[in-house]
Amino acid sequence: MNYLQKIPIILDGDPGHDDAIAWMLAFARQELDIRGVTTVSGNASLERTTRNMLQIFTLLGGRSIPLARGSERPITRLPFATPSVHGVSGLDGPALPEPDIALSELSGVGLMAKILRESETPVTLVPTGPLTNVGALLLAHPELKTKIAHISLMGGGILKGNWTPAAEFNILADPDAAKIVFESGIPITMAGLDVTEKALITPADFERIRAVGNKVAVIVADWLCFFYEFHKQLGYPGAPVHDPVAVIALVKPEILTIQEMYVQVETYGEFCKGATIGDVYKVSGKPPNAKVIMDIDRGAFVDLIVDAVSRY
Ligand code: RIB
Ligand code: CA
């Protein structure tokens, strides 16, 4: 596959064990041309997610990819981290190599805008954390909207929440940014909890990944072991590895079940702030603004992760 056919993408996230695995998958796939990576606060502070990004791409060998530090905090709310899930560093577990890659001097939005401006073809954004950077990009550079081909995001859930009964973490962390994104008119694929809670990787799968035997495979298996500790206590049979589904939507959509839907983001409310409200019964009269992923072939998902680590 030559560069002319590859899908140009920008990764944006809050690594985060599942962000790290999503980025490992994206970097392993020949269909994707990663033009840049940006960080956001979410699972941990921006300082920590940015250090994690540098360590992840040092591990993966992505030294030619521009990496930039994104927004310090959500557009209106204050950030809140999730040490209970990802640990204090945001990526607790295996030791990672010290970064040997320098950060871009540009801000996250600045790097996104540069990539979009200079790209000959529209670029796909793959945000897997709070949507602060993407929302800020759309506010600061409306002239670049036509250079965004597609947004394949992890976030939300139709009638599902994992941080409140109504809201998923990425959307709740910055609902105003999410509202800007879902109202942008840009084609959106939403990998919400409807599918990502089914993207389970079990302890038996961890060992299948570890058995591949290279350094990346062993670290991914260790990341999964750590990430599963939180979920095991809740009775999960495996770790719900949310973020890679947003990448799979680009490289293997045939293993997904997708429903087109009009989705709104609740930015107010005592109980429902951060909810993604899906018009399942088409009562709004509004045309769909998102492809909502509802299911995944779990076995094929795990095979893709095993295949990806085998390529390092
Ligand atoms: O709710 C799951 C999402 O929140 C994932 O992206 C995880 O990394 C955290 O950011
Ligand atoms: Ca994430």
Side-chain angles (χ1 to χ4, degrees):
M1 179 176 285
N2 63 43
Y3 263 71
L4 292 176
Q5 298 166 324
K6 284 176 175 268
I7 303 170
I9 67 170
I10 297 172
L11 299 169
D12 176 79
D14 59 336
H17 296 76
D18 50 338
D19 303 77
I21 294 169
W23 292 359
M24 178 283 299
L25 173 63
F27 192 58
R29 296 298 303 196
Q30 61 173 1
E31 305 93 328
L32 303 178
D33 172 18
I34 304 174
R35 299 283 180 84
V37 187
T38 51
T39 49
V40 64
S41 68
N43 286 321
S45 68
L46 183 67
E47 290 304 324
R48 291 186 187 280
T49 59
T50 301
R51 174 171 168 76
N52 294 342
M53 169 180 66
L54 293 171
Q55 290 189 289
I56 291 162
F57 280 95
T58 298
L59 169 72
L60 300 178
R63 287 172 185 73
S64 63
I65 300 173
L67 307 176
R69 173 196 167 98
S71 305
E72 197 77 37
R73 48 157 289 178
I75 291 177
T76 57
R77 307 191 78 179
L78 290 175
F80 59 98
T82 61
S84 57
V85 183
H86 298 275
V88 173
S89 73
L91 197 57
D92 279 17
L96 296 177
E98 277 306 301
D100 67 3
I101 307 173
L103 263 183
S104 164
E105 292 178 2
L106 294 171
S107 68
V109 170
L111 178 61
M112 286 175 160
K114 180 174 185 292
I115 292 167
L116 295 177
R117 207 174 290 123
E118 294 175 354
S119 180
E120 290 179 7
T121 57
V123 177
T124 291
L125 307 185
V126 187
T128 57
L131 290 165
T132 311
N133 293 331
V134 181
L137 171 72
L138 293 173
L139 287 177
H141 296 283
E143 77 284 358
L144 293 175
K145 210 160 96 168
T146 55
K147 293 300 288 292
I148 302 172
H150 176 200
I151 298 174
S152 186
L153 63 89
M154 190 278 142
I158 306 305
L159 299 179
K160 285 184 177 61
N162 65 355
W163 213 255
T164 70
E168 177 277 328
F169 175 81
N170 288 340
I171 307 299
L172 179 64
D174 197 339
D176 302 282
K179 179 179 173 66
I180 292 166
V181 171
F182 276 85
E183 294 181 354
S184 67
I186 296 167
I188 290 171
T189 298
M190 174 179 141
L193 298 175
D194 315 279
V195 62
T196 67
E197 289 284 315
K198 300 171 187 172
L200 295 173
I201 301 185
T202 67
D205 300 324
F206 304 169
E207 296 320 308
R208 207 182 133 204
I209 291 164
R210 187 185 307 280
V212 169
N214 64 41
K215 187 176 179 184
V216 169
V218 171
I219 285 179
V220 166
D222 287 343
W223 280 338
L224 287 163
C225 286
F226 182 91
F227 188 47
Y228 181 45
E229 281 308 308
F230 172 80
H231 299 91
K232 186 163 58 174
Q233 298 162 41
L234 300 177
Y236 280 73
V241 191
H242 307 278
D243 295 332
V245 182
V247 174
I248 288 171
L250 303 178
V251 299
K252 215 70 169 176
E254 58 269 31
I255 74 167
L256 303 173
T257 303
I258 291 171
Q259 199 173 329
E260 296 206 355
M261 209 178 293
Y262 177 59
V263 177
Q264 295 168 286
V265 179
E266 177 58 78
T267 55
Y268 296 95
E270 184 181 355
F271 302 114
C272 294
K273 184 166 188 173
T276 48
I277 314 292
D279 183 14
V280 175
Y281 298 112
K282 304 188 188 322
V283 296
S284 69
K286 303 262 186 164
N289 61 344
K291 291 184 175 180
V292 180
I293 307 174
M294 303 304 283
D295 204 352
I296 189 167
D297 176 336
R298 194 199 76 82
F301 169 54
V302 176
D303 289 347
L304 279 170
I305 302 297
V306 173
D307 169 75
V309 297
S310 307
R311 299 185 187 202
Y312 285 89

